[in-house]
Amino acid sequence: MRIHKSAFVVGIVVSCALAVMAQNKPKLTLDEFFNSVSFPALEISPDGNSVVLVTERADWDQQIFRTDLWLYHDDGKGGSSIGNLIQLTQSGHDSEPKWSPDGRWIAFLSERKLSTAKGGDSDSDSDSKDETAQVYLISPGGGEAFPVTEGEEEVHTFSWSADSHTIYFATRQPWTKTQKDAYKKEWKDVVQYRTAERGDTIFALDLAAALARHAAEPAKVEKKDADSDKEPDLTPGTRAIATSPLRVDGLVTSPDGRKLAFVSNAVNQRQEKYEDIEIYTVDLNVVQAPSPATADLTQPRRVTTNQAAEVRVRWANDSRHIFFSVEVGDVSGPYRDLQPHLYWVDTEKPDTASGPVEQWSKDFLGAVDHYAATADSVLAGERLGTEVQIYSATKPSESLHRISGWPGTYSGISVAAHSPRVAFLYSSLGKPEEVYLADSAANLDQARPITSFNKLFTERDLPQGKPYQWKADDGTTVEGMLIYPPGIEPGRPEAKHLPMLTFIHGGPADADGNHFEADWYQWADLAATNGWLVFEPNYRGSTGYGDKFLMQIVPQLVSRPGKDILEGVDALVKDGIADPDRLTIGGYSYGGYMTNWLITQTTRFKAAVTGAGAVEHIGNWGNDDTTYDDAYFLGGRPWEAQQRYHDEAAIFQMDKVRTPTHMVAGADDIRVAVMEDFLLEHALYSLGIPNKLLVFPGEGHSLAKNPWHGKVKVREELKWLQKYGGVPASN
């Protein structure tokens, strides 16, 4: 009894101490929120002793997002893991690091300006940039990074050879100066949409020759003669090995070094034809081209034929199968949007009606967020409900079994070629994302953090949250997340009748859950810190709840998810959690679509904040770079489903709107054109509804150009919610 009583007393003391500590922590500020660091890529070394990672952070003075390479190395001395982290590059323009198989080099893409960059005889807008992505090398042992490719054509993708002696890379088919001059003379600044497009060439670059050229660079004397204008703009010493009429993405070399694989893409990267996006292989044993000439090169062999967009290709250890997942579409028949699943294709099996493609772990309900392939198994980050956990399987027919234990979200898995070690990203509510290293897949729960870039967030009083479920009108269970203001614990008396922001995720094939994110798109924590209960609904169309749940969005693109969301709001009001007199709503991209629709369906929301959301579907179908999923969602192209394009469009119901609405848009967005925001703004203005529109110059759909744009966006959205939604500004 004494032991139990003592433990009980200690538990109370610890709980009280933790509560006092939380109360003593300051709240997160707007400036701190936007100084978060994200990790676009990480890769563990072949021996498992090092990890190269990319950080992305705002550079407020330069008005850019900096991407730099960092290197963690396990020195074996038992020191602090985080203390073994050094910065490799500082240009602010570095990405996609890849270890050479022998571990001697790290190759990466960089858009830093080359000192030997040539003049501006460009033949298209994309060539007129000061910087183009080129392949750089750096030694993990130290020294400066240096370029091994050059020219006006940017490198789209690259891969090491299995023996580390060669770098394969792809660019748009290079032109000679004569060709560029002739094109410029004829077309001036006129854009030939589609008709001037040209595909890619895959080149091989001998590493020894590249290193020798780099060593001799100070003594380099560039020769020019009359024939130089007729030579293509190539990296010296490269050899063309294959051409494609399409763009080459995701280039990977087979473990036995005999083949390359890649995913093709439309030259303009618009998803308009299914056949533009397929997996191809190149047999390196039959490549015979002795010169840069490309006229007689063997064409790559297509190994998939389907109505899906394949992504994240990886060779299996047998050098026969290629793993991939699907962004949109279906590998097994006519186009339909499924959750991302894991597949592999047998490159030696004929592409017959039965198909060489096989899905892994068909019985799993959730969606594949990411994966990594070891010598004898697959590790997959799988979304199931509000969690993303790591699962494992050793063969396609085997059910996935969970191997991670921490509640939250795992991502960015990287495995070592010659070590059991695993690197990954992890976060959860109240725990910011960092990079972790585990000694093996069997010991993920003993992984240690090797970065602390987001430590400041652990020193702030962050919001808490939990999943929330409700029943839709058709009996379907729908789930979402509730994020509570700091200091308010879910389930306690103070967690009642709260002002609420319904914050709708984009996609629609995405989901909100148990993770931490801090940026202009995911700012639920900041909204909660400013006094709002944030409701994040995973409506019909979201991932992590099965293919059937996702496909029930068709053909009711906004009306079915809209019902789910409003029924969730009703349930929260009925449960006494949300204050019916202080309801607001917002979202970006598809979340903007839904916001625009829902303010035509109800007047209960006191304020709305919307971004990059369409109000009609005909113009958006023609402009959107993912047009075939638009037609799928609405049951056909505009002339094939005229009534549905009308019925599912907010613009035709604008007379019902009473909600003050704040809008944002990227001026150069082609996913959802700024025209949609001008339509909405003009409609609201003509109706006398309070509104405001911010247009960010030079920005596309992702607001990735200038960090100030995202910061201003959220700053003004919070002000709008406070002004019209009934919550005073946070201190």
Side-chain angles (χ1 to χ4, degrees):
M1 289 294 295
R2 293 180 180 176
I3 295 175
H4 287 264
K5 185 176 180 180
S6 299
F8 178 72
V9 171
V10 170
I12 292 177
V13 171
V14 171
S15 298
C16 293
L18 290 173
V20 170
M21 289 173 63
Q23 291 173 0
N24 291 335
K25 287 183 178 180
K27 291 184 179 180
L28 196 61
T29 68
L30 179 77
D31 289 342
E32 291 171 343
F33 184 82
F34 280 95
N35 281 327
S36 66
V37 176
S38 62
F39 307 95
L42 62 92
E43 184 164 292
I44 194 168
S45 62
D47 63 8
N49 291 328
S50 301
V51 178
V52 60
L53 56 104
V54 180
T55 59
E56 180 176 273
R57 68 176 78 202
D59 185 325
W60 303 108
D61 293 333
Q62 297 296 319
Q63 300 186 39
I64 63 169
F65 288 101
R66 295 186 58 88
T67 53
D68 296 302
L69 269 57
W70 294 72
L71 180 69
Y72 165 81
H73 181 68
D74 187 347
D75 58 14
K77 298 179 180 179
S80 168
S81 295
I82 294 171
N84 296 337
L85 189 69
I86 62 169
Q87 188 167 355
L88 272 185
T89 67
Q90 301 184 47
S91 81
H93 301 282
D94 306 324
S95 62
E96 299 184 38
K98 296 180 181 179
W99 289 90
S100 61
D102 61 11
R104 296 181 59 193
W105 296 99
I106 299 169
F108 61 96
L109 292 181
S110 181
E111 294 182 357
R112 61 183 76 182
K113 190 170 183 178
L114 288 166
S115 60
T116 57
K118 299 180 181 179
D121 294 315
S122 65
D123 56 298
S124 75
D125 288 343
S126 64
D127 284 337
S128 63
K129 301 184 300 182
D130 287 338
E131 302 87 16
T132 57
Q134 300 294 337
V135 179
Y136 277 67
L137 287 182
I138 191 168
S139 168
E144 295 294 324
F146 57 91
V148 292
T149 65
E150 61 182 65
E152 292 181 357
E153 298 296 343
E154 70 173 11
V155 174
H156 294 154
T157 180
F158 73 94
S159 179
W160 285 96
S161 64
D163 61 7
S164 303
H165 294 165
T166 305
I167 296 175
Y168 303 107
F169 66 96
T171 72
R172 186 173 64 163
Q173 174 62 48
W175 273 0
T176 65
K177 185 177 185 303
T178 300
Q179 287 174 305
K180 296 174 188 176
D181 290 345
Y183 185 92
K184 186 175 182 180
K185 181 179 180 180
E186 181 175 4
W187 292 102
K188 309 302 188 233
D189 61 349
V190 176
V191 176
Q192 291 191 84
Y193 185 63
R194 295 196 200 279
T195 56
E197 295 174 349
R198 63 184 191 267
D200 277 13
T201 299
I202 301 174
F203 297 95
L205 174 63
D206 180 72
L207 178 63
L211 295 176
R213 190 172 73 254
H214 169 66
E217 194 69 23
K220 178 180 176 182
V221 178
E222 192 168 323
K223 293 182 179 180
K224 291 188 177 182
D225 53 43
D227 292 329
S228 64
D229 289 352
K230 299 178 182 179
E231 294 295 324
D233 181 19
L234 294 174
T235 298
T238 55
R239 180 169 60 95
I241 62 173
T243 61
S244 169
L246 298 163
R247 180 185 171 102
V248 173
D249 287 329
L251 194 66
V252 286
T253 309
S254 61
D256 64 9
R258 297 179 178 181
K259 296 176 184 177
L260 297 175
F262 65 87
V263 177
S264 64
N265 201 348
V267 174
N268 59 16
Q269 300 184 74
R270 297 175 68 93
Q271 292 181 1
E272 297 174 308
K273 297 171 69 176
Y274 310 123
E275 57 266 31
D276 285 346
I277 305 176
E278 301 289 358
I279 298 175
Y280 289 78
T281 59
V282 176
D283 191 340
L284 296 172
N285 291 330
V286 300
V287 172
Q288 300 294 332
S291 71
T294 61
D296 300 323
L297 293 181
T298 302
Q299 294 298 303
R301 171 177 169 260
R302 189 167 71 177
V303 296
T304 60
T305 303
N306 54 52
Q307 296 186 8
E310 297 92 340
V311 292
R312 296 187 284 273
V313 294
R314 299 285 187 274
W315 283 96
N317 196 51
D318 62 9
S319 294
R320 172 171 174 165
H321 291 85
I322 298 172
F323 288 104
F324 66 95
S325 58
V326 168
E327 183 177 59
V328 293
D330 186 359
V331 302
S332 62
Y335 183 93
R336 57 180 184 156
D337 265 354
L338 305 179
Q339 298 182 117
H341 297 299
L342 181 63
Y343 305 89
W344 73 1
V345 56
D346 187 343
T347 61
E348 297 180 15
K349 182 177 180 180
D351 191 2
T352 61
S354 62
V357 173
E358 187 175 12
Q359 181 180 337
W360 279 62
S361 305
K362 283 186 178 182
D363 60 341
F364 190 77
L365 181 68
V368 174
D369 271 22
H370 53 281
Y371 74 92
T374 70
D376 55 7
S377 67
V378 168
L379 305 182
E382 299 270 355
R383 176 178 294 279
L384 190 61
T386 58
E387 297 279 319
V388 180
Q389 296 291 325
I390 299 180
Y391 295 77
S392 177
T394 59
K395 55 185 177 180
S397 60
E398 180 180 301
S399 296
L400 291 169
H401 62 278
R402 179 171 160 177
I403 60 174
S404 56
W406 301 335
T409 296
Y410 293 78
S411 62
I413 305 171
S414 179
V415 296
H418 309 298
S419 167
R421 283 186 164 180
V422 180
F424 58 88
L425 300 171
Y426 171 77
S427 76
S428 63
L429 287 172
K431 192 175 185 65
E433 187 174 70
E434 298 290 357
V435 182
Y436 288 75
L437 182 63
D439 287 335
S440 73
N443 301 105
L444 295 182
D445 294 349
Q446 283 77 52
R448 58 191 183 279
I450 59 173
T451 64
S452 60
F453 288 105
N454 292 310
K455 181 181 178 182
L456 178 140
F457 292 93
T458 67
E459 300 167 351
R460 297 295 178 263
D461 189 8
L462 296 179
Q464 300 181 53
K466 68 172 186 177
Y468 179 79
Q469 292 186 342
W470 66 99
K471 287 285 187 180
D473 58 293
D474 61 359
T476 300
T477 299
V478 187
E479 187 176 47
M481 290 296 296
L482 293 178
I483 312 298
Y484 288 80
I488 296 180
E489 294 185 31
R492 294 184 64 83
E494 65 269 19
K496 293 287 186 179
H497 306 292
L498 298 171
M500 188 172 80
L501 168 63
T502 298
F503 196 35
I504 309 170
H505 69 72
D510 199 356
D512 283 312
N514 186 4
H515 69 110
F516 182 91
E517 195 165 351
D519 57 36
W520 61 269
Y521 178 70
Q522 291 274 7
W523 48 278
D525 278 10
L526 192 61
T529 298
N530 280 265
W532 296 97
L533 168 69
V534 182
F535 170 43
E536 299 177 317
N538 288 338
Y539 48 81
R540 230 75 63 97
S542 300
T543 57
Y545 300 92
D547 287 333
K548 180 181 177 181
F549 186 89
L550 183 143
M551 291 190 293
Q552 286 175 347
I553 200 172
V554 178
Q556 301 168 306
L557 177 58
V558 292
S559 59
R560 177 64 265 176
K563 288 180 182 179
D564 289 346
I565 294 168
L566 292 182
E567 288 159 357
V569 174
D570 288 341
L572 286 161
V573 170
K574 183 179 179 180
D575 289 345
I577 298 172
D579 183 344
D581 297 322
R582 292 187 291 174
L583 300 176
T584 60
I585 192 169
Y588 189 89
S589 190
Y590 186 78
Y593 278 54
M594 290 309 309
T595 299
N596 300 345
W597 171 260
L598 288 170
I599 61 175
T600 72
Q601 303 300 299
T602 179
T603 58
R604 74 184 70 184
F605 298 113
K606 307 304 180 185
V609 290
T610 178
V615 292
E616 57 77 50
H617 304 296
I618 297 175
N620 194 61
W621 173 85
N623 183 82
D624 191 353
D625 60 343
T626 59
T627 55
Y628 51 68
D629 68 344
D630 287 339
Y632 163 76
F633 285 137
L634 288 163
R637 291 167 292 185
W639 56 91
E640 296 166 334
Q642 298 178 32
Q643 191 62 44
R644 195 167 293 116
Y645 274 71
H646 176 278
D647 293 346
E648 294 286 312
I651 192 66
F652 299 113
Q653 301 189 50
M654 279 291 149
D655 58 317
K656 302 176 183 177
V657 178
R658 301 293 182 270
T659 305
T661 303
H662 186 282
M663 297 152 281
V664 297
D668 295 341
D669 191 350
I670 63 170
R671 182 66 51 85
V672 181
V674 68
M675 171 196 74
E676 300 291 336
D677 296 274
F678 283 127
L679 271 173
L680 177 57
E681 190 277 341
H682 195 181
L684 296 173
Y685 179 78
S686 70
L687 292 166
I689 305 299
N691 71 88
K692 185 176 184 179
L693 171 61
L694 304 180
V695 180
F696 302 117
E699 294 286 8
H701 195 61
S702 61
L703 304 188
K705 181 179 179 181
N706 185 338
W708 284 104
H709 293 158
K711 189 172 185 177
V712 168
K713 168 191 177 291
V714 175
R715 182 192 72 194
E716 295 305 306
E717 288 172 328
L718 283 170
K719 288 181 181 178
W720 191 266
L721 294 175
Q722 290 157 358
K723 179 178 181 179
Y724 291 101
V727 173
S730 173
N731 295 325

